[in-house]
Amino acid sequence: MHTIRNYIMAESLEQAWELNQKGRNNIIIGGNLWLKMGRRNIINAIDLSSLGLDKIEEDEGGFRIGCMATLHDIETHEGLNKEFQNLFKEAVRHIVGVQFRNCATVGGSIFGRYGFSDVLSMFMGLDAYVELYDGGIVPMREFAWMRPSLDILVRVIVKKTPIKVCYKSQRNVSTDFPVLTCCASYMNDTYSVVIGGRPLKAIAYEKQMALNDESIEAFIEEVSSE
């Protein structure tokens, strides 16, 4: 377990960012489900719960998912699942249980960029971006391979780009970490397959081809050989 000296309820993102810049012993608190598994001495634990970042907002262009929205929020959000063919429900439904998903946050799941993450693999398969307090808006696939920083992930942005998409994962036990994840999509005349749940971070394969049975089979062979 970790030790926290000061628990601070942030009054603004600016205050949270400034506190977080004071070193690695200061940390943004998400759901605290992965963090509590380690041992560390935390000087300032910075809570963003009072900043209204737990909302999922929809407009004509897409969705804005606040960093404090939970995995159960995206699992059950009618708009997200209608737009993306129940992708969000399928991608997170095996993650431990509803009680866990009611605590785990989208921001914490993405910012950690864990190799085992269903959530990261899923978002990398979409036209998705992260909004960082200091770094601005960054494509999800680019963010996944960026070096860790002391920035704050404010929200995830998912555009309503026309897409065909599905998600599958392989687990040895139904609620355990996945041993393989796959988010496959067809968007902007491009096939994309994101493979995660591996020792390294999730990786994306892309190829621009017409949507037909022959091109699908050819792309499957190409990705499998890699």
Side-chain angles (χ1 to χ4, degrees):
M1 298 293 287
H2 51 249
T3 300
I4 296 174
R5 296 190 186 181
N6 302 303
Y7 194 95
I8 300 171
M9 186 69 73
E11 297 179 0
S12 67
L13 277 170
E14 181 181 8
Q15 179 199 28
W17 185 83
E18 289 176 352
L19 286 168
N20 201 40
Q21 302 312 297
K22 294 182 178 180
R24 296 286 177 180
N25 287 331
N26 300 279
I27 196 162
I28 302 294
I29 295 291
N32 205 24
L33 297 170
W34 183 251
L35 180 65
K36 72 179 182 180
M37 303 297 289
R39 293 183 179 181
R40 61 186 300 177
N41 182 24
I42 299 171
I43 303 299
N44 293 312
I46 306 157
D47 192 333
L48 306 179
S49 296
S50 63
L51 302 182
L53 296 173
D54 59 344
K55 298 178 176 61
I56 301 175
E57 302 168 309
E58 180 182 2
D59 58 27
E60 291 182 359
F63 298 86
R64 292 158 54 87
I65 305 169
C67 63
M68 296 301 289
T70 69
L71 300 190
H72 194 54
D73 289 335
I74 63 174
E75 178 185 15
T76 58
H77 192 275
E78 184 177 349
L80 281 170
N81 284 295
K82 181 179 180 181
E83 183 72 26
F84 299 107
Q85 299 115 61
N86 286 321
L87 176 72
F88 287 79
K89 180 179 180 180
E90 176 61 32
V92 305
R93 67 186 178 91
H94 292 294
I95 300 177
V96 186
V98 174
Q99 295 93 332
F100 185 96
R101 299 195 296 275
N102 268 328
C103 296
T105 63
V106 172
S109 300
I110 295 296
F111 196 78
R113 287 164 279 198
Y114 306 116
F116 57 78
S117 176
D118 292 277
V119 182
L120 181 61
S121 300
M122 173 192 66
F123 276 113
M124 285 177 65
L126 300 173
D127 189 9
Y129 306 78
V130 297
E131 180 183 333
L132 303 173
Y133 177 77
D134 187 53
I137 296 176
V138 180
M140 184 66 70
R141 292 184 183 180
E142 180 181 331
F143 176 76
W145 286 87
M146 286 171 57
R147 297 182 65 180
S149 72
L150 297 178
D151 211 337
I152 296 176
L153 193 157
V154 180
R155 57 181 56 87
V156 174
I157 300 168
V158 186
K159 294 187 177 180
K160 290 181 177 178
T161 305
I163 188 173
K164 295 180 181 292
V165 62
C166 67
Y167 184 88
K168 297 293 182 181
S169 65
Q170 175 63 40
R171 285 166 158 82
N172 291 332
V173 179
S174 62
T175 58
D176 200 356
F177 292 128
V179 295
L180 192 67
T181 66
C182 177
C183 186
S185 64
Y186 186 76
M187 176 175 59
N188 295 328
D189 297 324
T190 300
Y191 287 116
S192 172
V193 172
V194 177
I195 303 295
R198 61 195 203 109
L200 301 175
K201 297 174 184 176
I203 190 169
Y205 298 92
E206 282 189 337
K207 192 163 187 177
Q208 194 166 27
M209 301 171 69
L211 180 61
N212 58 60
D213 292 342
E214 291 183 3
S215 64
I216 290 172
E217 291 298 326
F219 186 59
I220 289 171
E221 291 297 326
E222 187 174 324
V223 173
S224 298
S225 69
E226 293 291 330

